[in-house]
Amino acid sequence: MNSNIFFQPFVGKDYANGGIFGKRIMILGESHYCDEGCSNCGDCRLHGECTGFTQGVIKDYIDENKERQDWMRTFVKFERSLVGKETDQTFRLKIWNSVGFFNYLQVAMGGPREAGTSAQYRQAGEALFEVMEKYQPENVIAWGKRLWNNMPGERWRDGDDIVVDNSHVATGYYFLSYGRQVKVMAVNHPSVGYPWDYWNRVIQDFLLQ
């Protein structure tokens, strides 16, 4: 059977047992971007070596020997919102070994703020269900409201809002095979405007519900 998944997810070595969080958490980014190769031709599937793009990004991030780059601040802010404290390299490894990370769109964009087409978002929804069925996350945390608004509407049920400092954050559930369900929410995209201490309070509420 052909798969809708092109960019293979990063799965931490302790993800299956929940690692330091005690439950399986899948982080959902929106897209990769690149200015060469598959973004130029519009079809990443023509470039088989790109299937490990997601895994390579996370491995580059947690590799302490890699030069620190601007995009890595996005991951720093998010990981701190998961644990509610500043992180060092040792703690960083524990965090990312405990979670999975999957990028939603299955083609690369030409720039960091670029959106996909309606067809690309629809196809990505099928890939998301494949990933959830395979890795059985208990919680999914999506990056950004644009991604949230483009996620599949089928097999979905609204959940209760999380309310922190009088701000409401929507939650919901996807239903998988055999009656299993996955709880889902979205944070603001951690690349900009992301107070990690506030989002830690939201995430803790989400994980405890």
Side-chain angles (χ1 to χ4, degrees):
M1 183 178 69
N2 291 332
S3 173
N4 290 288
I5 302 167
F6 179 73
F7 293 123
Q8 297 298 314
F10 168 86
V11 180
K13 67 181 184 64
D14 300 318
Y15 167 82
N17 63 25
I20 63 173
F21 301 106
K23 57 175 54 181
R24 294 182 301 279
I25 301 171
M26 181 69 70
I27 314 307
L28 189 64
E30 184 173 14
S31 63
H32 289 299
Y33 74 92
C34 61
D35 55 8
E36 58 182 284
C38 48
S39 66
N40 284 342
C41 72
D43 189 354
C44 295
R45 292 175 188 269
L46 296 177
H47 303 273
E49 70 275 10
C50 295
T51 61
F53 202 161
T54 300
Q55 297 162 342
V57 166
I58 304 300
K59 289 174 181 176
D60 281 350
Y61 171 64
I62 62 179
D63 184 352
E64 62 182 331
N65 295 316
K66 288 282 185 178
E67 181 182 353
R68 298 289 96 181
Q69 301 179 43
D70 287 345
W71 63 266
M72 293 182 176
R73 288 199 295 266
T74 296
F75 288 85
V76 171
K77 288 186 287 185
F78 181 74
E79 72 187 26
R80 290 176 177 178
S81 74
L82 282 176
V83 296
K85 61 181 71 175
E86 293 191 0
T87 49
D88 58 17
Q89 181 65 17
T90 300
F91 202 9
R92 176 166 298 127
L93 287 171
K94 291 179 180 179
I95 293 168
W96 291 98
N97 279 330
S98 299
V99 302
F101 187 96
F102 180 62
N103 258 334
Y104 188 71
L105 288 173
Q106 296 301 293
V107 293
M109 301 292 101
R113 305 288 173 89
E114 185 176 325
T117 66
S118 296
Q120 288 167 345
Y121 281 110
R122 283 195 302 273
Q123 185 270 331
E126 297 173 359
L128 174 62
F129 280 120
E130 277 191 48
V131 166
M132 291 192 294
E133 291 284 4
K134 180 174 181 178
Y135 293 101
Q136 295 294 313
E138 296 166 81
N139 296 76
V140 169
I141 302 174
W143 281 8
K145 298 304 171 62
R146 183 173 69 186
L147 172 55
W148 176 259
N149 291 334
N150 281 286
M151 289 170 65
E154 61 268 21
R155 299 162 64 180
W156 173 263
R157 187 186 77 195
D158 288 336
D160 295 329
D161 286 2
I162 296 170
V163 183
V164 174
D165 294 343
N166 296 315
S167 295
H168 287 247
V169 177
T171 70
Y173 299 86
Y174 280 121
F175 289 88
L176 306 182
S177 58
Y178 305 106
R180 292 170 293 194
Q181 63 184 34
V182 181
K183 189 168 184 183
V184 189
M185 66 162 281
V187 297
N188 287 351
H189 198 288
S191 61
V192 293
Y194 191 81
W196 60 261
D197 51 346
Y198 165 79
W199 283 107
N200 172 255
R201 294 162 63 196
V202 175
I203 291 169
Q204 291 307 304
D205 194 330
F206 173 65
L207 296 178
L208 289 171
Q209 284 187 358

